[in-house]
């Protein structure tokens, strides 16, 4: 199949069937491929997409498209959404989580920290302070659904190239890379959280926690 054929097939599959995040483990195969996240109406309201003329989004369009190079189970169900037992998602390892977190930082009272507190660095890959990861996971479980397109077993086109075609097709609102309609306010919010992670200091975080407890 050509790149165009694969992209057309992926668009059709990702637009056809999706599952709530918590139901996805019963349907998602341990295969590589592409996935799309959709938000319900409340997600669109809380992400401020309905009133944002720049967003051009609606609940019947994906808000994010990504790829699972090895397995949907390892990448999506574990790393992104903690949808299977004993899985703990980390925002520092997930672009979709960082995008959602940046847009929800005030609503969920999220704060950026380095993804490795012992060796701070890579601040653009920020994680979330305190129980921020758990709050973001709960929000995703409540408001997002997941669709997947399993790549053909013998595919002679790079998966990332098919992903690029889908991002161009859907222009999903919280994708930043390769997206001609990326939200300027999302880019700004991500930079702000990255700066907060860079400025993180253990003593400063302890002082902030004490202030909140008073």
């Amino acid at each position: 199949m050509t790149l165009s054929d694969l992209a057309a097939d992926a668009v059709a599959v990702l637009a056809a069937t999706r599952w709530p995040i918590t139901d996805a483990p019963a349907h998602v195969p341990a295969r590589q491929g592409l996935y799309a996240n959709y938000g319900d109406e409340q997600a669109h309201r809380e992400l401020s997409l309905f009133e944002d003329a720049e967003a051009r989004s609606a609940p019947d369009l994906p808000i994010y498209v990504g790829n699972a190079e090895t397995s949907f189970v390892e990448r999506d169900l574990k790393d992104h959404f903690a949808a299977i037992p004993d899985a703990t998602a980390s925002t520092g390892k997930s672009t979709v989580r960082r995008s959602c977190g940046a847009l929800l930082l005030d609503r969920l009272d999220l704060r950026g920290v380095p993804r490795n507190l012992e060796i701070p660095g890579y601040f653009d890959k920020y994680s979330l302070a305190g129980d921020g990861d758990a709050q973001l996971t709960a929000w995703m479980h409540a408001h997002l659904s997941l669709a997947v397109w399993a790549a053909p077993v013998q595919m002679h086109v790079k998966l990332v190239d098919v992903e690029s075609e889908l991002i161009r097709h859907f222009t999903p609102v919280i994708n930043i890379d390769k997206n001609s309609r990326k939200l300027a306010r999302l880019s700004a919010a991500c930079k702000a959280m990255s700066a907060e992670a860079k400025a993180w200091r253990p003593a400063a975080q302890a002082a902030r926690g004490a202030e909140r407890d008073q």
Side-chain angles (χ1 to χ4, degrees):
M1 297 177 73
T2 67
L3 174 58
S4 179
D5 292 334
L6 291 165
D9 184 55
V11 165
V13 170
L14 293 178
T17 304
R18 70 197 75 151
W19 309 278
I21 295 294
T22 51
D23 292 345
H27 305 280
V28 173
R31 295 265 304 278
Q32 73 165 185
L34 303 178
Y35 65 93
N37 286 126
Y38 293 79
D40 62 14
E41 289 194 10
Q42 185 170 339
H44 277 68
R45 285 196 297 273
E46 295 185 359
L47 294 170
S48 300
L49 300 180
F50 283 136
E51 65 270 28
D52 192 331
E54 185 185 14
R56 302 180 180 90
S57 186
D60 61 341
L61 295 173
I63 63 171
Y64 187 85
V65 170
N67 74 70
E69 287 283 0
T70 55
S71 166
F72 293 121
V73 173
E74 292 298 319
R75 189 61 177 145
D76 294 346
L77 300 186
K78 288 185 178 180
D79 292 347
H80 291 320
F81 308 119
I84 56 180
D86 300 321
T88 302
S90 172
T91 297
K93 298 178 181 179
S94 170
T95 303
V96 64
R97 290 181 66 88
R98 287 193 297 275
S99 288
C100 285
L103 293 178
L104 293 166
L105 63 92
D106 290 329
R107 180 172 292 276
L108 299 183
D109 193 22
L110 304 177
R111 295 292 180 268
V113 298
R115 67 177 180 180
N116 185 339
L117 300 183
E118 300 298 322
I119 311 175
Y122 301 101
F123 299 111
D124 60 320
K125 306 293 193 299
Y126 54 83
S127 192
L128 301 176
D131 65 349
D133 269 319
Q135 289 189 65
L136 182 56
T137 295
W139 185 91
M140 288 177 150
H141 286 189
H143 302 299
L144 299 188
S145 56
L146 177 69
V148 301
W149 173 78
V153 175
Q154 294 186 346
M155 188 172 72
H156 301 293
V157 174
K158 292 181 179 179
L159 185 62
V160 68
D161 290 339
V162 187
E163 177 193 27
S164 297
E165 289 296 307
L166 264 66
I167 292 173
R168 279 192 284 269
H169 175 84
F170 286 120
T171 60
V173 69
I174 64 171
N175 278 83
I176 295 178
D177 291 342
K178 312 171 192 175
N179 191 355
S180 63
R181 292 182 176 176
K182 62 185 177 184
L183 285 177
R185 65 183 175 90
L186 172 57
S187 297
C190 288
K191 287 180 180 178
M193 293 198 77
S194 177
E196 188 171 41
K198 188 174 183 178
W200 176 87
R201 299 292 184 275
Q205 294 300 309
R208 177 181 288 173
E211 291 174 358
R212 288 181 178 176
D213 292 339
Q214 291 178 355

